[in-house]
Amino acid sequence: MSEQNRIYEFGKKIDGDATMKALLGGKGANLAEMARIGLPVPPGFTITTEVCIEFRKNNERLPNDVLDQVKTAIKNVEAQQGKRFGDLENPLLFSVRSGARESMPGMMDTILNLGLNDQSVQGLARRTNNPRFAYDCYRRFIQMYGDVVMGVRAHDDHEEEPFDRVLRQLKNEVKAINDVDLTAEQLQQLIERYKVLVEKTVGMEFPQDVHQQLEGAIGAVFKSWNNERAVIYRRKYNIPSEWGTAVNIQSMVFGNMGNNCATGVAFTRNPANGQREFYGEYLINAQGEDVVAGIRTPQPISALHKDMPSVFEQLVTVCKTLEDHFKDMQDFEFTVEQDKLYMLQTRHGKRTGLAAVRIAVEMVEEGRIAKEDAIRRIPADSISSLLVPVFDEQEKKGLKKLATGLPAGPGAACGKIYFSAKVAEEVHAAGEKVILCRIETSPEDIRGMLTAEGILTSRGGVSSHAALVARQMGKVCVCGAGSLHIDYTSKTIQVEGVVIKEGDYVSIDGTTGEVFAGKVATVPSEVNRVLSNEMSVEASYIYRLFATVMQWADDFRQLGIWTNADTPKQAQEAFQLGAEGIGLCRTEHMFFEDDRIDFMRKMILAPTTEDRIEALNCLKPLQRGDFEGLFREMKGLPVTIRLLDPPLHEFLPNIEEALATLSQKFTIPIEWIKTRVQALHEQNPMLGHRGCRLGMTYPEMTMMQASAIFEAMIQVMDEGIDVAVEVMIPLVAFTGELSGQIALIEAAAEKVMKEKGKVLTYKVGTMLELPRAALIADKIAEKAEFFSFGTNDLTQTTLGMSRDDSGTFLPDYIAQEVIERNPFASIDIEGVGQIMEIAVTKAKKVRPDIKLGICGEHGGDPDSIKFCHKLGLSYVSCAPNRIPVAKIAAAQAALDLNKQGQKN
Amino acid sequence: MSEQNRIYEFGKKIDGDATMKALLGGKGANLAEMARIGLPVPPGFTITTEVCIEFRKNNERLPNDVLDQVKTAIKNVEAQQGKRFGDLENPLLFSVRSGARESMPGMMDTILNLGLNDQSVQGLARRTNNPRFAYDCYRRFIQMYGDVVMGVRAHDDHEEEPFDRVLRQLKNEVKAINDVDLTAEQLQQLIERYKVLVEKTVGMEFPQDVHQQLEGAIGAVFKSWNNERAVIYRRKYNIPSEWGTAVNIQSMVFGNMGNNCATGVAFTRNPANGQREFYGEYLINAQGEDVVAGIRTPQPISALHKDMPSVFEQLVTVCKTLEDHFKDMQDFEFTVEQDKLYMLQTRHGKRTGLAAVRIAVEMVEEGRIAKEDAIRRIPADSISSLLVPVFDEQEKKGLKKLATGLPAGPGAACGKIYFSAKVAEEVHAAGEKVILCRIETSPEDIRGMLTAEGILTSRGGVSSHAALVARQMGKVCVCGAGSLHIDYTSKTIQVEGVVIKEGDYVSIDGTTGEVFAGKVATVPSEVNRVLSNEMSVEASYIYRLFATVMQWADDFRQLGIWTNADTPKQAQEAFQLGAEGIGLCRTEHMFFEDDRIDFMRKMILAPTTEDRIEALNCLKPLQRGDFEGLFREMKGLPVTIRLLDPPLHEFLPNIEEALATLSQKFTIPIEWIKTRVQALHEQNPMLGHRGCRLGMTYPEMTMMQASAIFEAMIQVMDEGIDVAVEVMIPLVAFTGELSGQIALIEAAAEKVMKEKGKVLTYKVGTMLELPRAALIADKIAEKAEFFSFGTNDLTQTTLGMSRDDSGTFLPDYIAQEVIERNPFASIDIEGVGQIMEIAVTKAKKVRPDIKLGICGEHGGDPDSIKFCHKLGLSYVSCAPNRIPVAKIAAAQAALDLNKQGQKN
């Protein structure tokens, strides 16, 4: 191959192979590979992705050497096919298709039947003795080429496509119902009208020169790399625009020459559930596009057994060949031309989470792949779909979709809608299933959220309060559904003319972000059914798959997987799923339960230190009880308890009447309460009096919490259960804060030990969640026995971006490609990652064995977990239902790092 | 001197000198130095500061070798004085005084007449033939020693000192009015009662062993290093606690042996105004403490010319000797014992800002010091006192002080108090002088602030909105006066039982933070009088001093001094004071003036992009006019214009009726306005939709501002005035923001150039105010032609601390020594400084000639300016009235860095 090879042939001569996806795209590389392993691939060639990049840089012009190499390649194909490109009697026709490194189905343009013109179509008619076929090919070609290359198309969604309009009009005139009803003559008429349409629209004739046709088609495919839907798709799936697409030019084979022809798509296994069965569909006498277009209903692949038994047998063999060779479930396209099978494409098949797990495990058991490959192959995020209920897809179809918000808490939920947490609680107590709907949620809503099936908000991103709490609770949540107009006064949602009233049924899908009016049945997850002892053969089998994958992940991963758990119930769930410790217990969440919020409020409103201590003394036994519960569930695994973090005003009600109630209950003058509420008001609470700043100004709070921890520890140890406590100090920016709080914790420990006559061991460490803390991590490491990166706050401060307020501009930023992904969902590696690296380097210099973790929301995000692995953290801590995801991501990170370079 | 020398003698043998202040303290080093240059210093010795540190570490016990060396030193003094310590007939008495590296006047304890006991007092009486003197010495000794060493003292402020009580009772009994009326016999009686008091209070007799006395006194002085007032003083003046104090033990000389004795304190020049005159006061027949105690009124030093002509002549010579030797104005203590002059202390005299300038300049003119020394010696901050009005000190004395807040905008102001910006404006229009009093201010108050003489708030720190705006306007401001209870409803301030009503006179001192009830005359600054062409000989002379100092500062400094100016008036003031450019024009401040706020509101409320553009088109000519004004004033110096920065809701009123008015004015439905206000509401506006995030979502805003800039540029250039524009993009975190905004600015420039047929040159750069931006400074430098550190925001985000909300805990942090200084007043070098350094290093790697500035409030803080110099920034930008301060600080930084090591 020449130095500047732009063209890779497949056919008799095969230049490429499956490893060359970056250069040839997935389709081109696999066409070459299929040809290599002897599968029947119509000959052709691939123009490389490098040419695409050059084309874009070169003002959308093809380099000359490319055209030269194209001509040579065409000659080679002509020789193999015994036809000539542009020949009037026996024309060689091509399909021209895009093919990027990663499959982007339907996103870019395709042109079939290229090489026909007014004269050669007659030759084709003569040669095939099938004028209808020939004219149908030509009219399809004009239609595709006119649309894709010449821009004859509708310019908004409401307009009818111009070619469709002309076709529809002709069919009306001749009273044809389907396209196939048109005769050869009528098709000729259609061709004439198409050509007029083209000339009228773009002011030039439809090109008759086949080389000009080809050049236009290649350019159009390259341009389609940047069409709107492709850009949107890339953004969604994080595909870099610098990759570019290849162009595959392949000699046409025809599934539409008669009833001994067919075309189809198939999977080597069932992509929905992963079962090992030949799965797919086909159409007799059709071209590939017809299968996708949905005009005729395809047959299930099993029917081919009857229609074309020999082809069917061949296909079954192809399946085995493909899987033996590609070592993965394949999704392939085929065409049968006059009883002869041709393979047009193969690729790794997309599959559901369940199928991914099943196929991976079974392929290991079949000896096709190693466990490492199985783990690498399961998208970490997809495993969570095994753990959450999903909608019954059939029922879902009939419903009115109201909006699509952000998928903030996976799973499907259905219930009556209520707009107040309090009412939601009452209705739930009366036995109803509830969807709690709020513009945005606040800590006051937590009890309502606990009782709801799902949570729906119109404001806030995937890291908003609603989303964070929902994920922590394992609740279904759709947030930031901005098109919903939620009105608390009238207790309605208005959206696009529809009005949903309080008590109406709404169904939300927290995996997709969809919001539906009405009731949809949900299907519980098999894994959860087994965990809840509801056995069935199918569920047991799936549970075994799940458990197998978890075991393999455990074998490979190096990162510890801990959990964020605030209650014994969450701890129990996490323990069942294999959490190795609690990395974050947010003690403040405990303060919202039951009556204790009132003691909390009393404490906050206390006019003197003595009053405050009195209120704290009421809270202490409750806190101690909470801690005991956690310790019992975790059975000696480390439990990291973070001291009080949020600003105090979050605990106070902000409604006049609630203040009056408080005033009565504690006989505190309402004026004092109001003054105190006003004094606690902050312009920017996120940057205000919170975290260890509370413990610094109210040392008695730290003392109370520390004492409760140590007393609980002794109680549970007395029950014969091991306890490992790590006390975590939040929002440290200065070493003086750390030493001040450590001194209080040590004093509390000493006091408890003296009272109880026991010796306790425990660790004290800190959240690392402010840039300043990262910058002085060496000094902090002198005092702290562990750090846990609080990446939510660290992201907010490093980017100067509030997670609650970024909803107004983040979508624009993502659309404008200023940032790739929501930095609250996946760590901003360039910025936040850099400062984490500074912190890790500095800390390890001082204390090489320091335990480093992460307990922000990012602890459950696969990409972030991989980054944490590279960073050398000891563990990630995530919500209980993210543990399986985290395990797989951690295993993948370990495998990737061991085998750098194998990945493209 | 031995290896472990703890004791440095002065007298015949002189171990120390003036350079040894770190080891001997200021007093000890200068006593040695005075002895060296032949001044009459009573012999004695100094125990080093190292011993103090050791004493603290050693559980407050003196090391044994110290006591041994003390004994040797005593022997040497005895030999020189011909007296013996502890001798019953001819006792050697000592004074024992503290002496730290930097003077901490009155902060630590002193003991005089040590070495007396029941027997030696009789010897002293016999030997001096003055029993009254002897017994007076002894009772003073018991009183001081009992208080300082034995702890016989009052334990709260309301209690009478026990020794004072006993003395008062005795004086009552014997009907004596003054202490001097007591006879020798009565003093003997007093001594007996004092000894009983001591024994009763501490349960042990007053020590008779002189070595025990001395050891106790030394320990007490060391302990006094950590007494409360010393700790508070150190905190205020940033004196490290690790320095420790020395102890000076000096043979007593007596100013109280008769009328040929005296004691006094004097300055070699006038410390109030710097005039070269012998200045001070003295008392005949008194001990040093009497001058300070204020029981007798001292005589001005000029009277000594008559009382003791020869001593006066000697003192005049001493002044010259001291200044010739120490090269600075000296503050010294002397005692005359029986017509013989003794020098007890000398130190560089504290002085006002004016005196500092005058003395420095005149000493250069006298040839005593170099210009460099003059610049080094003027505390940079003090120069600002020459520019602001001050209270008439006499009038101030008579007034009721209501509170002390934070000194947030220097100068003195007096006016009638009003609680609403609107009312303040109206009253001002009616010709009244107004003090605007708010709990805290918001952008809505800006017009009221402009018309007020001064601004007073009860909440917010030195970087609160009130403080920032006041300093920018050059207004007097006291903020965060938390003890004031401001009630908008009753329009009153309540504080400690006093009620101030609307319209009452209040006077505030923004240099000290004091708030007074009533009217105090203010004295305008001489420099401003000259700048305003109000000439007088005195003012002209002072202006010349000021200008001389500014010239020298310009000669030495390397940092550029730019200004933050939002209006032509501010630009003019800054230009007069020598600003070399505008480093920050906050365009948003322009939007609050006159009617334009309404256009701004219309723009914000616009339902569509078209409506928004329409409102922006109304704003554009106004903005253009503002920019023209700035360009004209700056006459070709660079003008850095920052695009709109604050979140939009800051421009909207938040009062229901104001919304209704808006609704009427623009015929926009009130519901829409309310919806919009709600939509713009943010949880943490500091981290919200602001800065370039506005320009990214509303590109038309950037276009409008950029067009206004370029059109103004052409207009002013057409007038024959040079214009240098730097467009600054705020709050950049991502390179995509920068390139997006740059593209808009370039498009606007091209459009204007095309329209006007001109070619414009300008720079585009960015604020660097987020940690993420600092971390990717290399990438930002690829696109930005300059950076300006916005250290206010950078501090908020790096520390995760809102300047508006930190008032609740920052004072505690400073008190607990978690941080040394308010990080919003002086750069937090460890954290924010570190990230600035990262940014500078990265940026210079990519663009070595990049222009780097700072335009946060820190640009006017001397310590921060010195840090910026070290960091290699190109310029600092500060409020106009801080320019002189900044120039001196910059010159000092340059001198310090050239002469590292000369400073201790």
Side-chain angles (χ1 to χ4, degrees), chain A residues 437-450:
Chain A
C437 177
R438 303 280 303 161
I439 296 173
E440 57 193 345
T441 64
S442 75
E444 278 187 79
D445 297 323
I446 285 185
R447 286 166 65 180
M449 293 170 81
L450 256 174

Side-chain angles (χ1 to χ4, degrees), chain B residues 769-780:
Chain B
E769 49 191 338
L770 295 175
R772 193 185 197 281
L775 293 166
I776 59 160
D778 42 355
K779 292 182 188 162
I780 288 180

Side-chain angles (χ1 to χ4, degrees), chain B residues 229-421:
Chain B
R229 60 190 173 187
V231 169
I232 291 169
Y233 186 94
R234 281 206 296 275
R235 204 170 282 155
K236 185 165 174 188
Y237 292 96
N238 291 312
I239 297 174
S241 69
E242 314 86 65
W243 280 5
T245 183
V247 180
N248 297 292
I249 295 156
Q250 189 172 24
S251 41
M252 283 295 302
V253 286
F254 297 99
N256 58 341
M257 282 176 78
N259 285 335
N260 59 350
C261 300
T263 189
V265 295
F267 294 83
T268 57
R269 305 192 185 212
N270 186 324
N273 60 24
Q275 279 182 3
R276 194 174 176 188
E277 59 183 357
F278 185 23
Y279 182 93
E281 52 191 19
Y282 71 99
L283 277 173
I284 297 288
N285 195 13
Q287 257 191 339
E289 50 169 349
D290 300 330
V291 180
V292 186
I295 302 168
R296 289 162 60 194
T297 305
Q299 298 290 306
I301 202 79
S302 53
L304 193 65
H305 187 47
K306 252 195 332 206
D307 280 348
M308 295 180 172
S310 134
V311 170
F312 184 79
E313 283 312 308
Q314 278 182 67
L315 279 172
V316 169
T317 311
V318 162
C319 280
K320 188 171 178 310
T321 308
L322 286 174
E323 282 206 349
D324 285 349
H325 188 75
F326 287 101
K327 313 283 189 201
D328 197 359
M329 186 264 270
Q330 294 293 299
D331 162 5
F332 61 92
E333 291 178 20
F334 64 92
T335 284
V336 180
E337 181 182 304
Q338 296 179 317
D339 291 321
K340 182 161 168 30
L341 174 69
Y342 290 99
M343 296 294 290
L344 299 186
Q345 164 154 325
T346 191
R347 60 190 174 195
H348 297 323
K350 294 200 187 289
R351 63 205 79 179
T352 64
L354 172 57
V357 170
R358 183 173 211 145
I359 292 170
V361 175
E362 291 184 351
M363 280 205 167
V364 172
E365 291 170 350
E366 291 157 18
R368 289 185 196 275
I369 61 172
K371 292 172 191 175
E372 287 87 344
D373 299 318
I375 288 294
R376 275 202 196 91
R377 190 171 284 183
I378 298 170
D381 255 328
S382 71
I383 193 96
S384 65
S385 66
L386 274 71
L387 297 166
V388 295
V390 292
F391 282 130
D392 182 307
E393 282 298 315
Q394 288 309 314
E395 281 205 24
K396 184 170 153 182
K397 276 180 190 163
L399 287 186
K400 166 82 184 159
K401 182 153 100 182
L402 296 175
T404 302
L406 300 168
C414 172
K416 290 184 177 176
I417 199 147
Y418 287 93
F419 298 95
S420 131

